[in-house]
Amino acid sequence: MRALPRLALALLTATATVAVVGAATDAAADPPPITILTSDFEDGSSQGWAGRSAETVAHSTAVAHSGTGSLLVSGRTASWQGPSLDVLGTFEKGTAYTISVWVRLASGSDNARLSVERRTGEVASYDQVVGNTAVTGDAWVNLTGRYTLATDVEFLRLYVETASTTGDLHIDDVTAGYVPALPVQTDIPSVKDVVTEFPVGAAITGAEIVTGHGELLTKHFDSVTPGNALKWDATEPTENTFTYAQADPLMAFARTNGLAVRGHTLVWHNQTPAWVFTGADGEPMTATAEDRALLLARLENHIRNVAAHYGTDIGVWDVVNEVIDESRPDGLRRSQWYTVAGLDYIRTAFRVAREVAPHAKLYINDYNTNVPAKRDFLFALVQRLKAEGVPIDGVGHQVHINIGWPTVAETEAMIDRFVPLGIDQQVTEMDVSIYTGNGESFPAPPADRLLKQAYVYRDMFALFRRYPGEITSVTLWGLADDNTWLDTFPVTRKDAPLLFDTSLQAKPAYWGVVDPSKVEPGTGASASASTDTGTNPGTGSCAVTYRVTGSWPGGFQADVKVTNTGATALASWRLAWQFTGGQQIAQLWGGTHTQSGPAVTVGNAAWNGGIAAGGSASFGFLGGWTGGNPVPAAFSLGGTACTVL
């Protein structure tokens, strides 16, 4: 998974809570939700809603999601203008609210967003609750998300905007409510007390240091990583104007509770303000000596200020983040940093960080380091820079994975590759998605996915604990499932990738780390291998969905779903097809594969061999191509031709 910006507060799509597996992990039933806000526009008024500028907001009977009335916003001259409601006296700090708004354009099409504007003094902040969602003038579309206010504010308004157009829009049937918090489980082992080979941490936002979240955090974890608060856009939004309003509360919480802090991140190609890459002439920078000198000077000034501000409070820094692009012949990402300054931006960042924070461990951090090509490019870069004397102390592995990929062996190969460099290794951003393909979406996490996830966490932590001298820290990218970036990436859907659920209760994944014997027996990620005979034991038919989900010069990623459309369950499966564009599979997850020329055969993994009648199994892969990348025309399951969807 590619790393994307993480939002500053707990912002996510709503989900139902699923009971954890096994008698030892049963949590109390969720209390009923409490609705605190309703706007149905049936009384002929705007019910307190107003425009954000000079646009007109009025009751309308032209269309309605339910009943006869809605709210019409007209006269918009900018896409950010739209309906807004004061919720300062309604929302309380530390409570996770589920907000639902139905939206419809008067005509045309665009994307709509649901957000919250908050202000303290003269400083305004904007928190996105639901990202870009396609809307038209033909039907109502629901925007539903969750929001936790984490700080004291003087101004708080909920609003809807569009991405680009300024036409009229309607909203209707707005609700906001919350489920009363369940108490944090205090009678279960703390993760940090069980995993003693290295510190275990969690990435946090402001929402993780209030109410029950803060209690859960301090019970289970040794360290924290501010997910957004130390990035460039948060700390130096305009040149030489530094602000630590987001980070200071997190740092204070860490100090008070004895939590170590990982600093994330000083240099990244994302979440860096545009002014950083704007030359003295006001034009975008290019690879001139003047622009290069200015960019490196800005970089040095930024690091000297940010790293010095917290001094010894931060003992580890992700100095540079995501610099490898394995699709390039040299493996280097063509970010604006690189195109203007080459590798000197990395050299400068580490040199200055060492001068400003001589006590700190300095890391280069990246994702998909279990993929051989990316792993090897990163190894070569670190080896080269270390030979030059660049003070790199360690490599950070993000480990954004899913229940079907990668294997333990692939992950162990990742660790082993960097051992000869004699540097530290840390797992910096771990989560385990319950999805294996972009086409999947569940209204609530299925029990079998949570069980598979528990086995993945079990096996990965067991691996990491076998390398205590190499793996010096493991950080989960989030505290609980109520605040995860995977709710909006790679597609919008509710994910459940962490150890605790949306009610902060321990999941099977937690027990997979703390005490695997308490995970309900079943087929897990490392269960015994299937006795697949290579034949289809059922007599029915099958259907296959093949989707290319990403493409770049010479390479691509694909997801495949196999559906049993027959009446008999399959105990195992084996899918075959022919490539016609010279494609070669480089890495596959969710199954095992062989390829001979254009002929490909993929068999089930140990944990997904069984497909009930009407059920399906999925796998994905990374591949390369030479002459083209056409979709295979035909598939067969155990020799039986399948319908191609």
Side-chain angles (χ1 to χ4, degrees):
M1 302 278 181
R2 281 164 165 58
L4 292 185
R6 287 87 179 179
L7 296 179
L9 297 178
L11 317 176
L12 56 155
T13 51
T15 181
T17 299
V18 177
V20 293
V21 180
T25 63
D26 288 339
D30 286 348
I34 297 173
T35 300
I36 60 167
L37 183 157
T38 301
S39 297
D40 59 9
F41 308 110
E42 293 301 305
D43 63 357
S45 76
S46 62
Q47 297 185 351
W49 289 79
R52 302 184 69 206
S53 183
E55 66 270 41
T56 300
V57 173
H59 178 266
S60 171
T61 57
V63 292
H65 173 254
S66 66
T68 60
S70 66
L71 188 73
L72 171 65
V73 184
S74 57
R76 301 168 65 231
T77 58
S79 61
W80 58 265
Q81 295 176 355
S84 170
L85 181 69
D86 182 5
V87 291
L88 180 62
T90 306
F91 286 8
E92 296 183 357
K93 185 173 71 171
T95 298
Y97 294 99
T98 298
I99 308 168
S100 172
V101 181
W102 289 89
V103 182
R104 177 173 179 165
L105 301 183
S107 62
S109 62
D110 198 352
N111 283 298
R113 298 188 289 259
L114 174 64
S115 302
V116 170
E117 179 182 0
R118 54 186 169 88
R119 298 181 195 168
T120 302
E122 299 299 320
V123 179
S125 299
Y126 303 89
D127 302 319
Q128 192 175 97
V129 181
V130 181
N132 282 342
T133 304
V135 291
T136 70
D138 300 323
W140 289 92
V141 174
N142 184 238
L143 307 182
T144 298
R146 282 173 54 137
Y147 178 79
T148 301
L149 176 65
T151 60
D152 293 324
V153 295
E154 300 165 359
F155 176 101
L156 193 68
R157 294 190 74 91
L158 180 70
Y159 67 92
V160 175
E161 62 183 337
T162 53
S164 57
T165 62
T166 59
D168 297 354
L169 64 87
H170 295 262
I171 65 169
D172 199 4
D173 292 334
V174 183
T175 61
Y178 67 97
V179 175
L182 294 173
V184 170
Q185 296 157 292
T186 58
D187 58 347
I188 59 175
S190 298
V191 174
K192 63 184 179 182
D193 292 340
V194 174
V195 182
T196 58
E197 292 82 357
F198 42 71
V200 182
I204 61 170
T205 68
E208 275 73 49
I209 64 172
V210 294
T211 60
H213 291 83
E215 182 182 355
L216 186 71
L217 179 65
T218 56
K219 172 174 171 56
H220 289 285
F221 296 100
D222 300 288
S223 69
V224 294
T225 300
N228 273 315
L230 290 172
K231 292 174 182 172
W232 201 310
D233 59 351
T235 55
E236 193 185 3
T238 59
E239 187 164 13
N240 216 33
T241 299
F242 292 89
T243 175
Y244 303 99
Q246 291 187 39
D248 278 352
L250 308 185
M251 296 298 298
F253 182 88
R255 282 192 299 270
T256 299
N257 292 280
L259 298 168
V261 179
R262 294 192 84 262
H264 180 82
T265 176
L266 294 172
V267 186
W268 191 25
H269 60 277
N270 281 329
Q271 287 182 262
T272 302
W275 66 261
V276 177
F277 305 110
T278 301
D281 58 359
E283 296 297 321
M285 287 183 171
T286 59
T288 64
E290 180 183 15
D291 283 348
R292 175 185 173 279
L294 178 58
L295 181 61
L296 293 180
R298 287 172 173 170
L299 173 60
E300 179 167 348
N301 183 61
H302 179 80
I303 294 175
R304 288 194 182 279
N305 279 273
V306 175
H309 180 76
Y310 291 111
T312 57
D313 284 348
I314 296 180
V316 178
W317 275 103
D318 289 331
V319 178
V320 294
N321 195 46
E322 300 177 5
V323 303
I324 298 297
D325 179 355
E326 66 272 30
S327 70
R328 295 285 183 174
D330 59 3
L332 296 172
R333 180 182 296 279
R334 294 315 193 257
S335 65
Q336 289 173 286
W337 290 109
Y338 183 82
T339 57
V340 175
L343 287 180
D344 281 346
Y345 84 93
I346 301 177
R347 298 182 179 106
T348 298
F350 276 97
R351 174 183 60 81
V352 176
R354 174 64 84 226
E355 292 176 13
V356 178
H359 63 283
K361 292 281 191 176
L362 307 180
Y363 275 72
I364 185 169
N365 189 50
D366 221 314
Y367 63 91
N368 282 3
T369 51
N370 53 279
V371 175
K374 188 157 200 172
R375 177 193 69 204
D376 292 344
F377 277 128
L378 180 59
F379 176 90
L381 175 62
V382 174
Q383 186 179 52
R384 171 183 176 180
L385 294 176
K386 289 283 289 181
E388 295 176 2
V390 177
I392 300 175
D393 296 316
V395 167
H397 305 289
Q398 292 187 10
V399 192
H400 296 296
I401 60 178
N402 65 48
I403 59 171
W405 172 88
T407 65
V408 172
E410 290 166 337
T411 308
E412 186 164 20
M414 171 192 79
I415 299 171
D416 287 338
R417 183 69 173 103
F418 291 92
V419 170
L421 291 179
I423 59 176
D424 289 345
Q425 300 184 61
Q426 293 188 352
V427 175
T428 57
E429 305 183 19
M430 185 180 184
D431 45 34
V432 181
S433 173
I434 62 172
Y435 298 105
T436 60
N438 291 352
E440 296 181 321
S441 182
F442 304 120
D448 65 323
R449 296 293 176 107
L450 295 178
L451 183 60
K452 292 170 186 175
Q453 182 187 65
Y455 282 105
V456 172
Y457 269 111
R458 179 198 67 180
D459 293 347
M460 289 298 174
F461 264 79
L463 170 65
F464 300 150
R465 295 172 77 176
R466 293 204 306 269
Y467 285 82
E470 302 295 334
I471 299 296
T472 60
S473 175
V474 173
T475 296
L476 301 179
W477 203 248
L479 176 65
D481 290 342
D482 66 339
N483 186 10
T484 168
W485 73 297
L486 291 176
D487 283 349
T488 56
F489 180 84
V491 296
T492 298
R493 61 191 172 187
K494 186 71 196 87
D495 210 327
L498 299 164
L499 303 185
F500 302 94
D501 66 18
T502 57
S503 295
L504 311 188
Q505 304 299 292
K507 293 167 51 185
Y510 160 84
W511 291 106
V513 173
V514 170
D515 186 354
S517 70
K518 289 185 170 61
V519 178
E520 182 177 292
T523 54
S526 63
S528 59
S530 166
T531 56
D532 180 14
T533 63
T535 61
N536 183 353
T539 58
S541 54
C542 52
V544 173
T545 303
Y546 180 105
R547 297 285 185 267
V548 174
T549 59
S551 186
W552 52 90
F556 69 104
Q557 178 174 334
D559 289 340
V560 182
K561 181 169 75 171
V562 184
T563 300
N564 177 11
T565 58
T568 304
L570 306 181
S572 62
W573 52 268
R574 186 162 299 198
L575 186 71
W577 73 86
Q578 297 268 340
F579 279 131
T580 59
Q583 300 101 319
Q584 289 287 323
I585 294 178
Q587 180 180 15
L588 184 140
W589 52 93
T592 60
H593 81 284
T594 60
Q595 182 169 357
S596 177
V600 177
T601 301
V602 178
N604 59 271
W607 50 267
N608 66 352
I611 308 180
S616 63
S618 298
F619 60 90
F621 61 87
L622 298 174
W625 53 272
T626 54
N629 191 24
V631 173
F635 297 84
S636 62
L637 190 68
T640 300
C642 298
T643 301
V644 181
L645 301 178

